[in-house]
Amino acid sequence: MSRYVNILWKTRKAAGGKGLTCTRGLALSKVLQYSKTNNTRQSVNPELESDSSEPRREKRKPSECSVLLFPGQGSQFVGMGKGLEKYGNVKQMFSVAEKILGYDLLSLCLNGPEEELSKTVHCQPAVFVTSLAAVERLNHEAPEAIEKCVAAAGFSVGEFAALVFAGALDFAEALYAVKVRAEAMQNASDVVPSGMLSVVGRPESKYNYACLEARNHCKTLGVENPVCVVANYLFPDGRVIAGHLQALEFLQKNSRKFNFRRTKRLPVSGAFHTALMEPAVESLTSVLKKLDIQKPNISVYSNVDAKKYMYSGHIKRLLLKQLVSPVKWEQAMHAVYERVQGVEFPETYEVGPGTQLGSMLQKCNLKAWRFYKHIDVQI
C-alpha cells in the first residue's frame, strides 16, 4: 500500500457543511478552524518524519529517488483540470477552494474566460490547486514516484504547493495565504505602471549594467526611485527583468547594446519579485504569522537562496522575502541536481500546468532532464 496520504482527508464536511458559505470567500478564522477540525495537512511520507525511537532509514540510491517541481504564474491555460476530478480528492479540493475563494475555481479553470483566468488574483490559486491535483493523478498512476520522493521545489507561488506536498503547510491554510498573496500583489501592481521582460542573452551580456542604465534613463524622465532589476534567474543566459515600464521599454529599444538575443514582455500586471512588491508584504505577514507551519518532511528548496527550508520561522521569513527578491531557479536546479560524475540522477516530475520548468531544467542540466516527465492537468 502506498505510504502517500492524500492532501485532503475530510473535505466532504467542509463542502457540505453549514455556516461556511460566503460569497467573498472564508475569513481566515474560518479557514483556521476548518483546517484544525478536518486535518487537511499533507504528509507525503510518514517514514521521513524524525523519530529518535526508530532506526534511521537506509539511504536510497539517487536512481531510486524522485523530485517534484511545481510551476508558477504564467503556466495557466483554459481547460486545465479537465478529467482530474476522478483522482483521489481532487473534487473535494475544488469544493474547498470554492469556499475559501468565494467563486467556482474549477469552472474558471475549465471554461475561462482566459482574460479572467490570467488575472493574478485568479491564476495563482488556480495554478496552486491544479498542481496539487496533478499530484493526486501521479499518486494514482505511479504511487512509487510519491513514495520515493526526497525533494521538491516550486516556482514563485509554486513554493506554496511544494510546501503543502511536503507536509509543512495545510492545504486550506496555504490556499488562503495564496489568495491573500495574489490580491496583495495585484494591489501593489496597480500603484505603479510596471511589468516584466523575458530576456535571452549571451555569455557576454551584462544584465546588472543594463538595469543600471535603464534606471538612469528613468531618472531623466522624472521617475522617482526607479526600479529595474533581475527578478528571475531561469537558466544560463535566461533572465526575467522587472521594474518600471519606462525601464523595460528602454531595455527593449537598446537590446543590441546589451547583447540581448531576444526580449519579450510577459503578460503580467506588475514587477513581481522586486521592491515594487513591498506593499504586499504586510498583508501576507499578517496571514503567515497565524498559520501552523511545520518542518517539511522532505527537502524543499527556496527561491530566495536556493537552499533547503529548515524550520517554521525560516519558512515564514523566506516566503515573505520571496515577494521582493529574485527567484533563483537556476541556482536551485544546480543545488538539487549537481553531483559528482558517475552518480545517477533521480526521476523528475513536473506536476501542474505547462512544461516550462522542464524546458528550464533541460538548459540547466541536460543529464537530469533525461529523467524528466510531465504530469499534465488536462486529460
Side-chain angles (χ1 to χ4, degrees):
M1 179 180 294
S2 171
R3 292 188 294 270
Y4 172 70
V5 179
N6 284 324
I7 292 164
L8 291 173
W9 287 357
K10 300 178 181 177
T11 58
R12 287 189 177 85
K13 181 178 179 181
K18 298 179 180 179
L20 290 178
T21 302
C22 177
T23 56
R24 296 182 181 177
L26 294 183
L28 178 57
S29 59
K30 285 285 188 180
V31 175
L32 294 173
Q33 179 183 6
Y34 160 66
S35 61
K36 181 178 291 186
T37 57
N38 291 277
N39 195 357
T40 60
R41 183 175 299 279
Q42 159 80 333
S43 180
V44 177
N45 189 342
E47 293 187 18
L48 291 175
E49 298 178 13
S50 58
D51 186 344
S52 57
S53 64
E54 295 183 3
R56 182 183 289 268
R57 289 199 321 146
E58 184 179 347
K59 191 173 182 179
R60 283 177 167 155
K61 297 178 182 178
S63 60
E64 298 173 350
C65 300
S66 65
V67 175
L68 265 60
L69 304 179
F70 294 82
Q73 183 172 347
S75 61
Q76 72 279 348
F77 62 90
V78 174
M80 64 181 188
K82 182 180 179 181
L84 296 185
E85 289 183 276
K86 65 181 180 180
Y87 296 113
N89 287 308
V90 173
K91 182 180 292 187
Q92 292 93 329
M93 289 166 61
F94 278 104
S95 294
V96 171
E98 183 173 356
K99 298 297 180 183
I100 292 173
L101 300 174
Y103 58 87
D104 189 342
L105 180 65
L106 180 58
S107 178
L108 182 61
C109 289
L110 294 177
N111 307 311
E114 183 177 355
E115 182 181 355
E116 285 297 313
L117 180 60
S118 296
K119 289 181 179 179
T120 295
V121 293
H122 295 147
C123 71
Q124 289 193 17
V127 170
F128 169 83
V129 175
T130 54
S131 294
L132 290 171
V135 171
E136 293 285 347
R137 178 183 181 181
L138 178 60
N139 182 55
H140 176 82
E141 296 179 347
E144 67 281 359
I146 300 295
E147 291 185 19
K148 64 183 183 181
C149 183
V150 296
F155 195 100
S156 191
V157 70
E159 281 201 312
F160 286 84
L163 288 166
V164 169
F165 174 71
L169 284 172
D170 168 272
F171 172 80
E173 293 180 11
L175 177 57
Y176 186 86
V178 167
K179 173 182 180 290
V180 171
R181 177 185 187 267
E183 292 170 347
M185 291 173 71
Q186 183 63 61
N187 291 337
S189 299
D190 293 340
V191 174
V192 179
S194 55
M196 306 184 80
L197 181 71
S198 174
V199 176
V200 177
R202 296 181 171 88
E204 62 269 24
S205 299
K206 297 180 179 179
Y207 304 99
N208 291 332
Y209 171 70
C211 290
L212 175 62
E213 289 283 282
R215 292 196 297 272
N216 289 335
H217 170 73
C218 286
K219 290 178 181 178
T220 67
L221 300 177
V223 178
E224 295 183 7
N225 302 316
V227 172
C228 183
V229 294
V230 175
N232 299 164
Y233 293 85
L234 305 178
F235 51 85
D237 296 318
R239 305 284 188 273
V240 172
I241 294 175
H244 284 82
L245 288 183
Q246 298 94 321
L248 303 186
E249 292 168 357
F250 173 83
L251 291 179
Q252 286 190 287
K253 290 179 181 178
N254 295 274
S255 60
R256 194 173 284 185
K257 173 183 176 181
F258 302 119
N259 290 307
F260 294 163
R261 289 170 52 200
R262 293 194 306 273
T263 62
K264 180 181 179 182
R265 284 283 302 278
L266 298 180
V268 296
S269 58
F272 303 149
H273 304 291
T274 74
L276 292 178
M277 289 295 108
E278 190 66 43
V281 173
E282 183 178 354
S283 296
L284 186 59
T285 299
S286 63
V287 173
L288 291 181
K289 69 181 182 181
K290 297 176 182 178
L291 302 191
D292 177 22
I293 302 179
Q294 299 181 9
K295 181 178 179 179
N297 295 328
I298 60 174
S299 299
V300 179
Y301 289 80
S302 168
N303 288 179
V304 173
D305 57 11
K307 296 179 181 179
K308 300 174 185 178
Y309 281 113
M310 300 304 295
Y311 52 89
S312 176
H314 186 230
I315 294 172
K316 292 179 182 179
R317 186 167 65 250
L318 291 189
L319 285 179
L320 291 172
K321 191 174 181 180
Q322 186 225 67
L323 282 174
V324 295
S325 302
V327 173
K328 295 184 176 178
W329 189 257
E330 177 187 351
Q331 295 88 329
M333 293 300 94
H334 290 318
V336 172
Y337 295 105
E338 275 190 344
R339 57 204 62 223
V340 297
Q341 190 172 1
V343 175
E344 297 171 309
F345 287 89
E347 292 181 346
T348 295
Y349 297 89
E350 181 172 357
V351 282
T355 58
Q356 293 94 327
L357 301 185
S359 298
M360 287 187 261
L361 178 59
Q362 184 179 17
K363 295 178 174 67
C364 290
N365 193 316
L366 181 60
K367 291 183 179 179
W369 173 78
R370 289 176 179 147
F371 298 90
Y372 161 91
K373 298 178 181 178
H374 176 230
I375 306 302
D376 205 350
V377 292
Q378 184 182 50
I379 301 175

